[in-house]
Amino acid sequence: MGRKLIVTRLSFYITQDKLQKLFAPFGQLASVNLVFDPRTKRPKGYGFVSYNTEIEAEKALKAMNGRIVDGRLLLVEPAGDK
DNA sequence: GCTGAGCGG
């Protein structure tokens, strides 16, 4: 399904909560997940966000892609669904 | 303390 987004180039100091708040206004969030690296015990700097509709996902993509967040330029693109 | 492309678990 095409309602999942991958958010890359995030700051290493961002949290899943921040990510959620950033994408919340664009639609009903199904899930937000920052990818955590168990080896380094640090976020990998990217995450996934799912909406209940592709419309919202697309809206969020266009709104958040290229946005400066926490000093970093976010990169948002459609992700595969597992 | 400060790394940088990416499709996790």
Side-chain angles (χ1 to χ4, degrees):
Chain A
M1 320 176 208
R3 43 181 117 146
K4 195 180 316 177
L5 265 39
I6 179 177
V7 187
T8 57
R9 291 196 172 184
L10 286 165
S11 160
F12 290 112
Y13 302 94
I14 206 165
T15 64
Q16 192 170 294
D17 180 68
K18 283 184 184 174
L19 198 58
Q20 184 176 336
K21 293 170 75 171
L22 283 172
F23 285 84
F26 305 104
Q28 202 173 32
L29 285 174
S31 68
V32 180
N33 174 253
L34 248 200
V35 179
F36 198 77
D37 193 340
R39 307 164 299 195
T40 62
K41 293 295 173 63
R42 295 185 200 91
K44 284 187 177 179
Y46 72 92
F48 293 87
V49 49
S50 303
Y51 286 92
N52 287 324
T53 72
E54 307 183 16
I55 313 291
E56 296 169 328
E58 184 186 341
K59 188 168 57 177
L61 192 159
K62 288 183 303 183
M64 294 308 296
N65 193 23
R67 283 308 276 281
I68 308 290
V69 176
D70 205 46
R72 292 314 183 205
L73 197 142
L74 261 52
L75 212 58
V76 185
E77 36 190 328
D81 198 13
K82 239 196 267 186

